[in-house]
Amino acid sequence: MLWYVLRRLAYVLPILLGVSIVCFSLLHLAPGDPLTSVMPEFASEQVIEQIKRSYGFDKPVPVQYLLWLFNVLTGDLGLSQVANRPVWDELVPAMVNTFQLAAFGIGLSLLCGIGLGLLAGYTRRLVTDRAITTTAIIGVSVPHYWVGLVLIAILAVTLGLLPAMGKAPPSDGFGLNDIRHMILPAVTLALIPTGIIARSVRATVIDVRKQEFVQTLQANGLPPRRTFLHVIKNASPTVLAIIGIQLGHLVGGSILVETVFAWPGTGYLLNTAIAYRDLPVLQGTILVLATFFVMLNFLVDLAQPFLDPRMTRQ
Amino acid sequence: MNAVDLTPVEGNAGPFLSVRDLSVEFLSEGRPLRAINGVDFDLHLGETLCFLGESGSGKTVTMRSLVQLLPPTARIWGRVLLDGIDVLTLDADRLRAIRGSQVSMIFQEPMTALDPVFTVGHQIAEVVVWHEGLSWSAGRARALEMLELVQVPSARRRLDAYPHELSGGLRQRVMIALALSCKPKVLLADEPTTALDATVQIQILLLLRELQRELGMATIFVTHDLGVACEISDRVAVMYAGRFVETGAMAEVIDSPRHPYTVGLLNSTVHAGSERGKLAPIPGAPPDLLDMPPGCAFAPRCPRVVAACREGVPDLEQLAPGRSARCPRTGSPDC
């Protein structure tokens, strides 16, 4: 088991290193000079040199990377060029908001995705299965932001049932108004993961139920509910891996949904950082989200051997 | 009625398992497919009956239909009396109560027939807990007892092993332990040694024979392997295209086969009684069950076919008590 953990960790470290290199390169790959926005308009050569030196841009690129990496590892993501505040101070509240929304969204998509997937898998080729499969394909294929706009148009604008955008103003604790604000973005966000989870649960359940051990259970007179537990446990490693990836997408890939609903999360932060060319915020946000994604999948990998004992033996 | 009288070795009361006119039909692309056609037999406790035949002859389907373990497209007719209970009329709950506790099954492929993500101890305990209402710790104790019964070495440690951590032979021993965990009266073994190495096959066969005698179970053994059949069975029923074509005591059938198909089987396999070095395969292939010949199903491949064979399905004629063959020429001298 320890060996398994170490081996998984050995996969994670190079990926994280790669992520950090990509994030660092953003600064140099983005068109234009990173200093133009802070430079006085008619700066002399001497002033330019001085500013360059003060920001560390006079050093060779690998040295700049190592310095940057050291800062990041010690918790310094730099200053936001727009707000002139530490990137962390921008990032933390945005992450809290995004996690709130993602938790709501993933809860919704787990509930619907697993439930519908099981139903479809157990009623294969029947009406329920066909209806669920078709709906799942539509759910996966329709663009997020469009669904978001349609939901706003119908439920918020025409019917006035729910708030159209934004987050509830901070009050004492978490209340009903917070949930009302989260419903539309969370539903929109949950749409694609629900479809993907439903489809993978269905396929896995059908696959597991075809296996011979299910017949052994039946031959031994075990009731359907016990057989169901065996099917679930056999299906869980595959489904968990997919849920891990979807959860990552939910946290990281919500730029469009957060923008449509003006939800002040990381996606929204990224969008504004792009608009204002706020490179340190962009770098920091991408780095944190990518690390989160990698670590999430690492955790999923660690959970796998508990569900399928064959995993540790390779 | 062609009820085959499989008289027990010793004078028991009635047969423990009595099957009459058992037929099974599957729906194959909307067309009914007769897999089993009027099978009759009796089986006493302590007796081993072997279904012998090629793949597709209906031996597995016959065995599975005894506990209705068939896909939902199957329809079963006839009567299966197990200790006086008509199994085919039972509702799902009562059928489940019988499966695993009265009638157990051993499957061919022990790797796929065990759940890969539960320990073998758990899988055995689960059945015991369910049928006998024991606690999980009592179920686990029974699992240990069973693993020791089937001679799994260091059984206590093997309780927490997963199927993939065991060798093929050990897995099949676990499969047997699982099947015997609730002390069933009838054991159905579906080619339990086919997937194993030759040396392991013998070990498993000897184990099964020993356990069967010790526990006094009625056993049905499905195989296509004549050598295996000889080793374990008291009686044999040779199957062809969903019918019994010959039945009798194992030794008698081997010594003097009365149906041309049995003769063909004996000539095409290496076994103790075979003439040295002469192997003669049966020409042709088993018939398509969707397109059966009008008379005897074996007629197209039979070396001794006569006109009567093609006119109607021959009766299973009783030749002596417990001995019968389905061939119009069994009475003729050259048979």
Side-chain angles (χ1 to χ4, degrees), chain A residues 81-217:
Chain A
Q81 289 176 356
V82 176
N84 215 13
R85 295 196 305 160
V87 172
W88 266 122
D89 294 358
E90 299 275 298
L91 202 49
V92 170
M95 270 164 56
V96 169
N97 288 338
T98 290
F99 278 121
Q100 266 180 21
L101 194 60
F104 198 163
I106 200 74
L108 211 59
S109 50
L110 285 181
L111 205 68
C112 300
I114 293 178
L116 293 174
L118 284 174
L119 187 61
Y122 266 85
T123 58
R124 192 176 177 210
R125 298 213 185 100
L126 300 181
V127 185
T128 43
D129 174 30
R130 290 191 201 283
I132 290 167
T133 311
T134 313
T135 317
I137 292 174
I138 295 172
V140 171
S141 319
V142 169
H144 269 123
Y145 53 89
W146 180 80
V147 174
L149 290 173
V150 170
L151 286 178
I152 291 177
I154 297 173
L155 291 171
V157 178
T158 313
L159 298 175
L161 293 174
L162 291 164
M165 49 184 56
K167 191 179 182 304
S171 54
D172 327 307
F174 192 79
L176 183 67
N177 202 24
D178 292 275
I179 294 177
R180 276 170 47 83
H181 276 85
M182 273 160 68
I183 289 174
L184 287 185
V187 166
T188 312
L189 205 55
L191 212 58
I192 288 179
T194 303
I196 291 176
I197 292 170
R199 281 185 351 170
S200 76
V201 167
R202 173 188 179 271
T204 317
V205 161
I206 287 174
D207 193 46
V208 172
R209 288 184 73 211
K210 272 195 220 144
Q211 290 181 33
E212 214 179 281
F213 73 82
V214 177
Q215 287 210 336
T216 311
L217 299 171

Side-chain angles (χ1 to χ4, degrees), chain B residues 4 6 17-20 39-42 49 51 66 220 244:
Chain B
V4 183
L6 293 168
L17 179 67
S18 167
V19 174
R20 289 292 173 274
V39 160
D40 304 291
F41 66 89
D42 287 338
L49 169 67
F51 293 163
L66 300 180
I220 295 179
F244 283 180

Side-chain angles (χ1 to χ4, degrees), chain B residues 184-198:
Chain B
K185 295 287 194 326
V186 179
L187 181 66
L188 309 176
D190 188 359
E191 307 227 14
T193 58
T194 307
L196 304 173
D197 292 344

Side-chain angles (χ1 to χ4, degrees), chain B residues 55-256:
Chain B
S55 37
S57 60
K59 45 195 196 316
T60 300
V61 176
T62 306
M63 196 183 76
R64 290 184 167 221
S65 61
L66 300 180
V67 282
Q68 298 190 42
L69 198 69
L70 291 171
T73 56
R75 284 183 59 199
I76 311 174
W77 292 273
R79 209 158 52 115
V80 175
L81 282 183
L82 178 88
D83 201 13
I85 303 164
D86 191 347
V87 175
L88 297 186
T89 59
L90 293 181
D91 59 34
D93 280 342
R94 296 186 59 205
L95 189 63
R96 273 198 291 275
I98 282 182
R99 287 177 179 174
S101 65
Q102 294 275 321
V103 185
S104 287
M105 225 166 136
I106 302 173
F107 293 87
Q108 178 174 347
E109 190 44 82
M111 182 70 237
T112 50
L114 292 168
D115 187 329
V117 304
F118 285 94
T119 63
V120 298
H122 177 97
Q123 294 186 55
I124 299 174
E126 184 178 27
V127 175
V128 180
V129 167
W130 170 248
H131 279 299
E132 302 187 3
L134 299 180
S135 67
W136 277 94
S137 60
R140 202 176 142 82
R142 172 77 65 81
L144 178 62
E145 198 184 301
M146 295 318 293
L147 289 186
E148 281 165 354
L149 181 71
V150 298
Q151 296 156 25
V152 169
S154 38
R156 191 172 292 278
R157 193 161 52 84
R158 267 21 189 286
L159 270 183
D160 295 317
Y162 290 94
H164 74 269
E165 296 168 336
L166 303 175
S167 67
L170 278 186
R171 265 180 233 144
Q172 197 56 294
R173 281 173 197 269
V174 167
M175 195 72 225
I176 295 170
L178 179 65
L180 300 183
S181 58
C182 290
K183 311 266 162 28
K185 295 287 194 326
V186 179
L187 181 66
L188 309 176
D190 188 359
E191 307 227 14
T193 58
T194 307
L196 304 173
D197 292 344
T199 48
V200 181
Q201 273 193 12
I202 305 291
Q203 293 169 5
I204 296 290
L205 274 183
L206 292 178
L207 174 73
L208 272 174
R209 200 169 63 181
E210 195 185 312
L211 289 172
Q212 191 258 337
R213 285 186 186 154
E214 201 178 309
L215 305 173
M217 293 174 290
T219 307
I220 295 179
F221 207 95
V222 163
T223 185
H224 64 267
D225 187 333
L226 204 60
V228 168
C230 286
E231 199 60 50
I232 196 145
S233 311
D234 304 315
R235 289 165 189 282
V236 63
V238 182
M239 287 196 78
Y240 191 78
R243 285 192 171 91
F244 283 180
V245 293
E246 178 162 2
T247 66
M250 193 71 227
E252 273 179 50
V253 172
I254 296 245
D255 289 342
S256 57

Side-chain angles (χ1 to χ4, degrees), chain B residues 257-311:
Chain B
R258 303 304 289 272
H259 192 281
Y261 177 64
T262 316
V263 176
L265 268 186
L266 287 171
N267 289 339
S268 60
T269 38
V270 185
H271 61 97
S274 66
E275 289 169 53
R276 202 167 284 270
K278 269 169 57 182
L279 282 178
I282 307 171
D288 180 1
L289 291 174
L290 281 170
D291 185 23
M292 290 280 276
C296 172
F298 189 60
R301 302 168 77 187
C302 185
R304 302 182 194 175
V305 65
V306 292
C309 299
R310 306 197 193 273
E311 275 159 19

